Amino acid sequence: MNSIDRGQLLADLRAILPDHCLIDDRESQRPFECDGLPLYRELPLLVALPETVDEVQSVLRCCHRLAVPVVARGSGTGLCAGAMPHPEGVLLGLSKLNRILDIDPDARTARVQPGVSNLAISGAAAAHGLYYGPDPSSQIACSIGGNVAENAGGVHCLKYGLTVHNLLSMELLTVEGDRTSLGGTGLDSPGYDLMALLTGSEGLLGVVTEVTVKLLPTPEVARVIMAGFDSVRAAGDAVGAVIAAGIIPAGLEMMDALAIEAADEFANAGYPRDAQALLLCELDGTEQEVEHHIAAVQSVFTQCGASSMRVSADEAERQLLWKGRKSAFPAVGRMSPDYYCMDGTIPRSQVSHVLEEIARLSQHYQLRCANVFHAGDGNLHPLIMFDAGKPEEIARAERFGADILELSVAVGGCITGEHGVGLEKLAQMPSQFGEAELHQFEEIKTAFDPALTLNPGKGIPILKRCQEYRALPARHRHG
Amino acid sequence: MADALQALVEQVAGARRAGQTLRIRGGDSKVHMIGRDCHADRDLKLAGYHGVSDYQPRELVLSARAGTRISDLQLLLAERGQTLPFDPPAFAGSATLGGTLACNINGPGRPWLGSVRDAVLGVQLINGEGELLEFGGKVMKNVAGYDISRLQAGALGTLGAITEVHLKVLPLPEYSVTLAYDCSAEAALQQMAEKARQPKPLNGACWLDGRLYLRLAGAQQAVQHTAGIWGGEQVETPLWEQLRDLTHPFFDGEQPLWRLATNIHTPAEKAGAQCIDWGGSQRWLRSLPGTIPAGSHLALFAGGDRQSEVRGELDPVQQRLQLRLKQSMDPAGMLNPGRLYSWM
C-alpha cells in the first residue's frame, strides 16, 4: 500500500460531498475515534458522512481509486473496536442514511436504510401489530447496518434468532463501489447465499446501503418469571430442565450474585439480594400458551430448588423485572470506574464450570467480575471491573478477558457470540481456528476485497499478506 | 470413522493433484432436481460416511456426519421429543443430512420454523484444495470469522464436500391441527396475509386444488383456542408430508416443475397448475409463469432441460463476486462442476 496523499483525498471527497458531510479537523473527529469499546481509539484521516446512497458509492469509488482504507460505521455502539477508524483511512459514517423506506404489513417486512436504529424499526411497525425480533441491549441507538455487520443478537435469540435469521434482502456496494442486490422478496435466491456471508462480516466484504428485514406479529402477551437460586449450578441445571421440558422461552437470562447486587442497586427491581444466581425467564405467545408455559416453568424451577420466585402480573411488573437486567451494564459501571465486557459462548452444560473458573481467575487477577448471561443460548457476558486510569490494571483486565475467551473455546464454545471480533479479539482467533481455516477466511476476504482496504486489521488475521497492510495500531491507546 | 474421513480427504486431494473433477454424491435423492446435471471425472461418495457423532437434547444441538439419513435423525430426535425444525424431506429414507444442507431443502413450515440454513451451527468440510476445515461449532451463537457454515446452504457442494454438520434442533410441538377452507387462490392469498399477521401459532399455510390449508401447532390450549376463532373444517390430512416429500399428485408427471420464490403480493397464476405454499412465499408451477415480479426468483426445480441454466441470471457484479467466492474455496473448479451454474 502506497503512502496516502491526504490533500488529494480531501480534494476529491470535497468534489463528492457537501462541506457539512466531511470532517477534517482533529477535534471534530474525536467523537468518531472509537466505538462502544473505548479501550481502542484512533483518529482517521477524514470522516465522511454521506447523505445518499449515490454519495456512498462515490466515496467508495474515490477511496478505491486512491487505495485508501475505508471503515464503515453505523451508530458506533459496537463492542469489539470493529468501527475504530484506520489512521490512514476514511471513516465512512452511515448514520445519515436513516430513513425507513417502506413497511409492508402483508409481507411482514420493513425496508430501511442502514442508519435506522434497531428500535425505530419496531416503532414504525408497531402500528401494524408487528415488530423486529433481534433486540440487542443497545437497540435504542444501534443501527440496523451495524446489526448486519456484527450479526447482532439480544435477549430473545433462542426463540427468534439472530440478525441473520431475520433478513430478507440487502443492497450492497462492493469495495469498488459497484452495486448489487442480495436476497429477494422470497426466501430463496439464486447462487450462493451471500447475504449469510455478509451478515457478521464486520464491514470487511462490502458496504450495506439498504436492508429489508422480516417482521413478526407482536405476541398477545408476554410474562416473565424471576427465580433466585442458592447456587449457580442449580440455576444452570434449571435452564437445561426448562429446555428438556420442551419449552423454548422468548428470553432466558442468568445473573450472578455481583450482577444481581449491582442491577438491583441501580434499578430497584426487587431482585433477591441473597441469591447466588437469578434467572429471568420470559414466555410469550397467546394467552393460553403463556398461561400453560408459566405453570410448567414454575414447576421446573421449584423442582430445581428455586429459593424464591416471582411472576409478573402485568406489563409494568414485567418491565420492572427486565429493567434490572437491561441496566446491568451501566449498573456495573457505577461499581467501578471502567468495565470490560466479554462475549464468549459456551455449551449450556458448562455454565457452572465456566463461572467457577471465572471466579478463580477473578481472584488470580485481583479484579472483580460480574456475570450476565444469555443462558438460553449459552452466551456469557462477564463484566471485568477495572480502572482505566491505571495502565497496569488495564493490562490485567485484558489478560483476564483473553483467559475467559480461551476458556470458552476450551469447553467447546467460541470467542464471540454476538459482539464480533473487530480489533479486540483478533489475537484469540487462532485459539478458535486452525491455520487452514484462517487461510480460508483470508481467501474469502481477498475474493471480495483484493487490496484489503475495507476495514483493514479487523475481523480476521491476515497471514500471508501481512507485509502488504499497515501494522495494527498500538494495542493500548487511551486518549 | 476417522479412517473413512481420511479416505475422503485423500480422494479430494488426489483428484486435485490429478486435475480431475468430482461429483459429490449422498443418497442420490435429489440428483435430478434443484441443480443442473453434473458431469465429472469421478464420484465422491458420502453416503457411507454416516452416524450421529453427538446429540445433547438439553443443548438443543445435534452433530452428525454428512451421510446420515434424515429419516434416521427424525427417529432419534422423536425419541427425545425433538425434531429438525426445518422439516426436510426424507425421500423414502434416501435423503442425507449433507445433501439436505447443500440443497437447502426445507419443509412447508419454513416461514415460521426456518430453514436448514437457519438451523446450521457449524460444518466440517473438504474444500477444493483437499483441506479438511471446520467452521462454526456446537453453540447457538458464534460470530467469529465468516459464516462459512450457512454459506454451504444451497451451494450444492460447489464450495466444499460437507462431511459433518452441527444443527440446532427444537422440541416437537405438543399439538397440531389443520384447518381447511374451500376458496379461490386469490381469496387464499388474502387469508394467508391476514392470518400470518396475527400472533397465533400458525406454522403452515398452503393453497392447492381449490382449498386453503392452515396448520396450527404449539401448546394444545392455544391451538384449540385459535382453531375455534378461525373456523374452517378441521381435517386429518397427509398434505404437509406430501408437500415436504413432493409426493402429492400435484408433483407427478413429466412436465417441468418450477418454483417461484416471491412474496404474498404476487398474484396467483391465471392459468396452469399451481400450488401456493409458505404462506404465499413459494409458488409451485407446472408451466412458466406469465411474469416474474421484481425481487422474485424463478428456478426450474425438477424436470425439463437440466443441461441449460436452471436458475435466474445474476447481475454482472454479483456474478463476479460469486465466481471469486467459488475460486476462493475451489480454485480448480473441481467440486460438482456446473451443478449450480454452467460457468461455475
Side-chain angles (χ1 to χ4, degrees):
Chain A
M1 198 182 289
N2 298 319
S3 175
I4 286 152
D5 182 344
R6 187 171 184 279
Q8 177 76 52
L9 176 67
L10 186 58
D12 287 6
L13 288 179
R14 280 205 170 122
I16 294 166
L17 296 173
D19 281 353
H20 68 275
C21 293
L22 269 178
I23 302 179
D24 183 18
D25 75 281
R26 307 307 265 174
E27 271 322 296
S28 306
Q29 287 179 354
R30 283 282 164 214
F32 299 92
E33 68 183 351
C34 64
D35 60 15
L37 181 60
L39 236 76
Y40 303 92
R41 296 167 196 246
E42 191 67 77
L43 286 176
L45 278 185
L46 287 170
V47 175
L49 300 169
E51 293 171 323
T52 66
V53 175
D54 286 345
E55 287 176 357
V56 178
Q57 183 174 32
S58 299
V59 170
L60 282 169
R61 283 182 173 157
C62 171
C63 291
H64 178 63
R65 193 178 69 243
L66 299 174
V68 174
V70 175
V71 177
R73 174 188 163 108
S75 304
T77 56
L79 292 170
C80 64
M84 189 192 79
H86 190 283
E88 305 256 300
V90 168
L91 184 81
L92 180 62
L94 296 162
S95 56
K96 290 185 177 179
L97 294 174
N98 61 357
R99 284 188 303 136
I100 292 174
L101 301 169
D102 183 39
I103 303 272
D104 182 340
D106 282 337
R108 285 167 284 129
T109 59
R111 191 163 62 87
V112 301
Q113 291 192 310
V116 170
S117 75
N118 173 294
L119 196 59
I121 300 174
S122 290
H128 305 285
L130 302 170
Y131 77 109
Y132 177 60
D135 59 342
S137 302
S138 56
Q139 69 179 147
I140 292 173
C142 65
S143 70
I144 189 70
N147 287 181
V148 171
E150 302 297 338
N151 192 14
V155 299
H156 291 101
C157 298
L158 183 67
K159 185 166 178 183
Y160 297 110
L162 306 158
T163 304
V164 71
H165 300 109
N166 289 278
L167 302 177
L168 206 53
S169 65
M170 57 174 72
E171 297 291 312
L172 180 77
L173 285 171
T174 67
V175 67
E176 298 91 354
D178 296 331
R179 287 187 199 204
T180 189
S181 303
L182 310 180
T185 55
L187 301 174
D188 287 296
S189 53
Y192 298 130
D193 191 345
L194 297 188
M195 205 159 54
L197 185 66
L198 262 290
T199 307
S201 66
E202 306 194 4
L204 270 77
L205 303 181
V207 175
V208 172
T209 56
E210 187 182 302
V211 184
T212 301
V213 301
K214 299 176 188 171
L215 301 173
L216 297 165
T218 308
E220 281 177 10
V221 60
R223 294 175 76 188
V224 61
I225 304 180
M226 176 184 74
F229 291 85
D230 292 337
S231 71
V232 164
R233 188 170 293 275
D237 289 346
V239 170
V242 169
I243 303 293
I247 297 166
I248 301 295
L252 186 49
E253 297 283 309
M254 190 195 291
M255 297 164 78
D256 72 358
L258 197 49
I260 294 168
E261 185 195 329
D264 199 53
E265 195 69 37
F266 189 88
N268 267 319
Y271 286 0
R273 299 268 192 125
D274 54 344
Q276 287 303 302
L278 176 144
L279 290 181
L280 286 172
C281 180
E282 179 159 296
L283 299 151
D284 68 6
T286 65
E287 288 187 25
Q288 301 77 27
E289 192 174 13
V290 171
E291 193 180 327
H292 175 69
H293 283 156
I294 287 275
V297 171
Q298 277 183 302
S299 154
V300 167
F301 283 175
T302 303
Q303 279 166 28
C304 291
S307 51
S308 63
M309 219 178 327
R310 180 171 156 191
V311 183
S312 67
D314 52 31
E315 188 56 21
E317 191 174 8
R318 185 181 79 90
Q319 295 289 352
L320 178 70
L321 292 177
W322 273 116
K323 190 179 166 199
R325 165 62 188 89
K326 291 196 170 176
S327 56
F329 287 22
V332 166
R334 286 211 314 195
M335 293 176 87
S336 167
D338 299 278
Y339 66 87
Y340 188 29
C341 175
M342 308 312 296
D343 180 42
T345 301
I346 56 173
R348 277 183 294 263
S349 59
Q350 298 291 328
V351 175
S352 42
H353 167 65
V354 167
L355 291 185
E356 280 161 17
E357 276 298 292
I358 290 176
R360 194 185 60 73
L361 290 166
S362 171
Q363 286 286 323
H364 175 74
Y365 287 108
Q366 287 295 297
L367 293 172
R368 289 182 300 166
C369 182
N371 287 287
V372 180
F373 186 42
H374 300 307
D377 41 34
N379 188 196
L380 195 61
H381 290 321
L383 302 167
I384 301 169
M385 294 178 236
F386 70 104
D387 182 352
K390 300 176 184 164
E392 181 274 334
E393 215 166 272
I394 295 169
R396 254 191 293 146
E398 287 190 318
R399 285 206 305 277
F400 188 176
D403 283 359
I404 293 175
L405 297 187
E406 276 159 31
L407 171 65
S408 303
V409 174
V411 299
C414 68
I415 59 174
T416 175
E418 57 183 6
H419 293 171
V421 173
L423 176 63
E424 180 208 10
K425 303 181 194 79
L426 215 48
Q428 276 76 44
M429 284 291 278
S431 65
Q432 188 174 331
F433 297 100
E435 201 168 314
E437 283 84 3
L438 293 176
H439 179 73
Q440 184 65 73
F441 288 148
E442 188 177 336
E443 292 292 322
I444 289 174
K445 166 68 172 168
T446 52
F448 282 77
D449 176 20
L452 305 172
T453 53
L454 281 177
N455 211 4
K458 314 277 181 61
I460 56 161
I462 300 289
L463 309 170
K464 71 175 181 190
R465 297 189 178 224
C466 53
Q467 72 281 9
E468 285 182 32
Y469 83 106
R470 284 153 210 285
L472 292 180
R475 277 206 85 199
H476 311 303
R477 290 179 191 231
H478 311 286
Chain B
M1 276 292 165
D3 289 351
L5 180 61
Q6 197 49 44
L8 289 168
V9 173
E10 287 299 328
Q11 284 180 64
V12 178
R16 172 82 167 104
R17 284 193 300 272
Q20 293 177 319
T21 54
L22 290 176
R23 183 171 72 132
I24 304 166
R25 292 176 62 181
D28 282 348
S29 63
K30 297 176 279 293
V31 71
H32 298 302
M33 57 176 84
I34 304 174
R36 299 172 67 256
D37 287 344
C38 174
H39 306 282
D41 300 323
R42 293 165 62 181
D43 283 350
L44 182 71
K45 294 178 185 168
L46 271 298
Y49 190 62
H50 60 82
V52 172
S53 48
D54 192 18
Y55 174 35
Q56 304 288 339
R58 285 189 170 216
E59 300 284 343
L60 299 174
V61 175
L62 178 143
S63 303
R65 297 181 191 95
T68 311
R69 305 289 158 155
I70 292 294
S71 48
D72 290 344
L73 290 178
Q74 291 289 26
L75 282 175
L76 174 74
L77 287 160
E79 282 173 18
R80 305 300 294 265
Q82 297 186 338
T83 187
L84 299 172
F86 47 94
D87 192 20
F91 289 131
S94 61
T96 62
L97 177 58
T100 297
L101 175 60
C103 293
N104 193 24
I105 190 164
N106 302 288
R110 180 170 184 190
W112 300 275
L113 300 168
S115 57
V116 58
R117 174 258 199 204
D118 293 330
V120 66
L121 301 173
V123 297
Q124 181 192 62
L125 59 81
I126 308 166
N127 69 6
E129 296 280 19
E131 296 170 320
L132 186 67
L133 305 174
E134 301 211 26
F135 300 101
K138 299 181 181 182
V139 289
M140 294 291 160
K141 290 159 96 177
N142 184 348
V143 295
Y146 302 126
D147 194 343
I148 294 178
S149 311
R150 283 200 176 85
L151 186 59
Q152 303 313 312
L156 299 180
T158 60
L159 296 176
I162 300 162
T163 51
E164 189 169 351
V165 181
H166 311 299
L167 286 173
K168 175 180 177 179
V169 299
L170 282 181
L172 276 165
E174 180 187 307
Y175 189 76
S176 181
V177 155
T178 296
L179 306 175
Y181 310 77
D182 290 319
C183 67
S184 67
E186 292 74 19
L189 282 168
Q190 202 177 345
Q191 279 299 307
M192 286 176 181
E194 195 184 298
K195 294 293 192 289
R197 284 175 62 173
Q198 298 179 30
K200 298 294 184 188
L202 178 69
N203 81 358
C206 168
W207 179 88
L208 184 61
D209 295 339
R211 292 203 107 185
L212 166 68
Y213 299 87
L214 301 176
R215 183 173 64 183
L216 297 166
Q220 184 171 353
Q221 299 92 323
V223 168
Q224 285 174 335
H225 187 257
T226 304
I229 299 169
W230 284 5
E233 181 193 346
Q234 292 197 18
V235 293
E236 294 284 333
T237 173
L239 173 76
W240 306 109
E241 291 76 22
Q242 291 175 330
L243 282 174
R244 179 190 65 195
D245 297 336
L246 308 176
T247 52
H248 190 279
F250 175 87
F251 301 100
D252 289 350
E254 292 303 309
Q255 69 269 47
L257 176 66
W258 298 89
R259 183 171 78 163
L260 184 67
T262 188
N263 70 13
I264 192 83
H265 297 298
T266 298
E269 284 296 306
K270 295 285 173 232
Q274 64 183 316
C275 165
I276 303 173
D277 197 9
W278 291 0
S281 298
Q282 174 159 272
R283 314 291 174 95
W284 292 110
L285 308 168
R286 299 313 303 255
S287 53
L288 265 173
T291 54
I292 302 170
S296 301
H297 298 294
L298 182 72
L300 179 58
F301 191 88
D305 173 11
R306 309 204 76 78
Q307 302 291 322
S308 306
E309 304 297 359
V310 296
R311 60 195 68 218
E313 213 174 297
L314 300 168
D315 71 61
V317 174
Q318 198 171 149
Q319 185 165 345
R320 185 182 78 214
L321 292 178
Q322 298 231 353
L323 193 57
R324 282 198 204 152
L325 178 60
K326 162 76 172 172
Q327 288 162 350
S328 77
M329 295 198 71
D330 177 22
M334 61 173 290
L335 299 173
N336 276 353
R339 178 100 167 108
L340 193 59
Y341 281 104
S342 60
W343 42 270
M344 210 177 252

